[in-house]
Amino acid sequence: MLYNVEGIVIRTVAYGETHAVVTLLTPAGTLGAMARGAKKPQSRLAAGIQFCAQGIYTVYQGRGMGNLQQVEITRSRRGLREHLDKAAYAAYFCELAASASETYPQGSESLFTQFSALLDRLEEGRDDPEVLARMWEAKILYMLGAAPDWLHCAACGAPFGTRTNGGAVADATTSGTAMDGRVVVSGTAPRPAALGYSPFHGGLVCPRCRDMPAAPRPDGTPNAPPSPGILPVPAALPRILHQFTHVPWNRLGTVQLSPPTRRALDHVLRLQLREFAGVSPRSREFLDGLSSLEAEGERLARCERDENSP
Ligand SMILES: [Zn+2]
């Protein structure tokens, strides 16, 4: 049986000298296919098995794994493979997408559409890739059913006092809707840090629950207050996480986040993904390595400037 399917290459593994096995993310889930001879120079399949390429794939399905017959590329996404940091982010986004996708044909069209839009934005380079990463993590958590209701305390259910309106937040001091109708996210306004993230509850907790002594242990001995392991987070976090989860890419405008908000988002989403969705991609470690290299580079450059200044 021969069929056409739209797909994005999320992984390519060499098979023997000249063949490759590609994993495609399609609107109907992930699909593996053998690309015979694709590693040979001049192969007409070569361009279509490049990482993050998108196109219409013609697959011959016999018994076992399908054979890739032909590719008509619609987006090459070469820009994602030419820069180390973009390639590292793309690899991480692919791994997250794969973790949330069912296998063909049980997949979700929404995952495919959002993933394709995300890769386009990463390639365009107008957004901070770190912000794209946090947004993608929030969306993946939601698709995996591991996202809490970020606007309510995960312990007592009390609302955090943010009013939302169709994805646009009506909190004029810290965010709003831009003139063109796009949602503007900002976490830079100074606010008291009274909320917390509780790995035990798997969500954000209100000031009262944050400072409350944890429930006694099973043997009846009390836990030391406040509840152990609660991470203090900025007060803007519920609204930002809610928007990251629900605002589609095409409605996303400028996103400005302060360093403490960035750190809190990083910790909360990483913990939530690992503990409640069982997702801790290896490509994330590579990204972490890159950003610590970057920080070290900046530190050295600062030292050099200081030494050279009179
Ligand atoms: Zn509470």
Side-chain angles (χ1 to χ4, degrees):
M1 185 185 69
L2 205 61
Y3 64 97
N4 287 335
V5 63
E6 186 177 18
I8 301 171
V9 177
I10 58 172
R11 191 166 48 196
T12 298
V13 179
Y15 185 83
E17 292 271 298
T18 57
H19 313 311
V21 174
V22 286
T23 307
L24 301 171
L25 185 79
T26 78
T30 47
L31 175 73
M34 176 70 77
R36 294 196 180 275
K39 293 270 176 194
K40 281 185 198 158
Q42 318 296 332
S43 164
R44 62 202 158 76
L45 294 178
I49 63 160
Q50 299 277 326
F51 185 55
C52 290
Q54 182 167 344
I56 307 295
Y57 293 79
T58 306
V59 180
Y60 175 76
Q61 187 68 56
R63 271 183 296 175
M65 185 180 274
N67 272 307
L68 199 57
Q69 302 289 303
Q70 196 181 315
V71 186
E72 188 191 316
I73 299 171
T74 51
R75 289 179 174 92
S76 143
R77 298 212 174 88
R78 190 135 66 95
L80 292 183
R81 298 184 294 272
E82 288 176 341
H83 303 274
L84 178 63
D85 55 338
K86 278 188 184 174
Y89 274 102
Y92 179 52
F93 296 169
C94 284
E95 219 177 322
L96 285 178
S99 72
S101 177
E102 302 280 343
T103 47
Y104 191 86
Q106 260 92 42
S108 138
E109 182 154 9
S110 152
L111 172 66
F112 176 81
T113 315
Q114 296 196 54
F115 182 56
S116 175
L118 166 67
L119 293 181
D120 287 344
R121 283 191 85 124
L122 179 65
E123 189 179 15
E124 275 168 29
R126 280 186 293 122
D127 304 286
D128 178 345
E130 193 189 322
V131 170
L132 292 180
R134 298 297 89 80
M135 287 191 69
W136 190 229
E137 288 163 355
K139 291 183 191 304
I140 291 289
L141 267 177
Y142 183 72
M143 287 185 251
L144 284 168
D149 173 356
W150 295 113
L151 295 177
H152 290 83
C153 173
C156 72
F160 290 130
T162 41
R163 293 164 296 143
T164 60
N165 176 17
V169 168
D171 181 346
T173 59
T174 55
S175 74
T177 307
M179 297 297 279
D180 59 1
R182 295 199 294 176
V183 178
V184 179
V185 184
S186 165
T188 51
R191 293 270 206 93
L195 305 178
Y197 170 74
S198 164
F200 174 74
H201 293 100
L204 301 175
V205 291
C206 71
R208 219 168 52 93
C209 294
R210 186 191 143 186
D211 296 328
M212 220 161 34
R217 294 179 198 170
D219 62 2
T221 54
N223 254 321
S227 311
I230 291 193
L231 179 85
V233 301
L237 225 64
R239 182 176 42 75
I240 294 170
L241 281 165
H242 179 81
Q243 287 182 327
F244 278 14
T245 305
H246 298 289
V247 174
W249 299 113
N250 59 0
R251 288 207 54 222
L252 182 78
T254 346
V255 179
Q256 289 167 322
L257 302 171
S258 66
T261 303
R262 282 171 188 270
R263 276 195 298 277
L265 282 170
D266 180 323
H267 285 134
V268 167
L269 288 165
R270 191 192 296 247
L271 279 169
Q272 190 76 11
L273 271 169
R274 195 182 66 200
E275 302 302 323
F276 294 88
V279 176
S280 46
R282 281 177 52 200
S283 47
R284 179 67 198 262
E285 290 163 29
F286 183 73
L287 267 185
D288 291 343
L290 266 190
S291 56
S292 58
L293 261 182
E294 222 166 74
E296 180 60 12
E298 277 164 22
R299 195 186 65 81
L300 287 174
R302 255 198 322 276
C303 290
E304 211 164 281
R305 270 200 308 276
D306 292 349
E307 271 170 26
N308 294 339
S309 63

